[in-house]
């Protein structure tokens, strides 16, 4: 995993156990709880990499999202007390491009601005801006993976691999 923060780039590696997909498959009810805390609307249609897609805007209910997160195994107990999302989140937007024929995710864009009045969960007070864009394609196709420069010297990360919200 590569992370860039304040002009510094670091690589971290972490083993992924072979049975991780069993964890993902068994988490359907937890995922449904998270999805129950959002409003979704198809706003238009666009092409992504030549694929016809529905463009879906998602607006989460922060109170319900917070409760769904606290109900996730390993999150609620681990935090003790979760910060109030409604008081911290200034902006949160999700936009998904979903293939019309397969319903596979083609693209996702997340923008979030947090205003931290006090130090919370080890994060200093201040404003945090997060933008994330993911493009997904060639589902079920063979791939060749080349290790990016710098990744070979990655530091060893946590020995326990966990997917978020599973």
């Amino acid at each position: 995993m590569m992370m860039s923060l304040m002009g510094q780039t670091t690589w971290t590696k972490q083993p992924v156990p072979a049975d991780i997909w069993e964890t993902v498959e068994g988490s359907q009810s937890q995922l449904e709880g998270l999805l129950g805390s959002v409003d979704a609307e198809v706003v238009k249609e666009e092409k992504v990499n030549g694929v016809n897609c529905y463009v879906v805007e998602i607006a989460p209910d922060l109170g319900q999202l917070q409760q769904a997160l606290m109900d996730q195994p390993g999150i609620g107990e681990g935090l003790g007390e979760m910060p109030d999302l409604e008081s911290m989140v200034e902006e949160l937007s999700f936009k998904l491009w979903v293939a019309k024929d397969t319903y596979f995710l083609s693209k996702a864009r997340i923008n979030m601005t947090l205003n931290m009045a006090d130090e919370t969960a080890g994060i200093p007070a201040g404003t945090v801006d997060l933008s994330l864009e993911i493009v997904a394609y060639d589902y079920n196709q063979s791939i060749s993976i080349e290790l990016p420069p710098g990744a070979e010297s990655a530091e060893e990360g946590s020995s326990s691999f966990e997917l978020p919200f599973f």
Side-chain angles (χ1 to χ4, degrees):
M1 177 174 66
M2 181 189 77
M3 183 175 6
S4 295
L5 185 62
M6 295 188 212
Q8 298 283 6
T9 299
T10 59
W11 285 91
T12 306
K13 61 184 174 184
Q14 178 177 352
V16 178
D19 63 348
I20 193 66
W21 295 114
E22 293 174 17
T23 303
V24 172
E25 290 171 3
S27 64
Q28 185 65 31
S29 65
Q30 295 167 354
L31 186 58
E32 287 173 2
L34 287 173
L35 291 175
S37 60
V38 302
D39 288 325
E41 179 182 1
V42 176
V43 294
K44 59 183 170 179
E45 297 178 13
E46 287 182 357
K47 283 191 176 189
V48 175
N49 293 331
V51 176
N52 291 321
C53 296
Y54 298 111
V55 181
V56 181
E57 290 184 353
I58 297 176
D61 177 307
L62 292 176
Q64 288 181 1
L65 180 60
Q66 179 156 354
Q67 186 58 51
L69 288 171
M70 290 299 290
D71 291 343
Q72 298 299 308
I75 293 179
E77 319 81 63
L79 284 176
E81 185 178 323
M82 185 172 190
D84 178 31
L85 292 179
E86 290 178 333
S87 67
M88 293 173 28
V89 176
E90 286 184 11
E91 179 205 346
L92 179 59
S93 66
F94 295 87
K95 191 181 278 191
L96 306 177
W97 286 256
V98 180
K100 290 175 69 173
D101 58 349
T102 63
Y103 298 108
F104 289 163
L105 180 68
S106 294
K107 183 175 167 181
R109 184 177 297 146
I110 302 168
N111 292 304
M112 180 170 56
T113 300
L114 299 175
N115 190 348
M116 314 286 273
D118 300 313
E119 182 174 316
T120 305
I123 301 171
T127 300
V128 177
D129 287 314
L130 171 74
S131 295
L132 175 68
E133 185 165 302
I134 299 169
V135 179
Y137 53 91
D138 291 343
Y139 284 91
N140 299 319
Q141 300 296 314
S142 297
I143 61 168
S144 174
I145 300 174
E146 289 184 39
L147 200 58
E152 265 187 62
S153 60
E155 296 177 22
E156 193 70 38
S158 167
S159 62
S160 62
F161 181 83
E162 291 185 29
L163 288 172
F165 312 121
F166 296 105

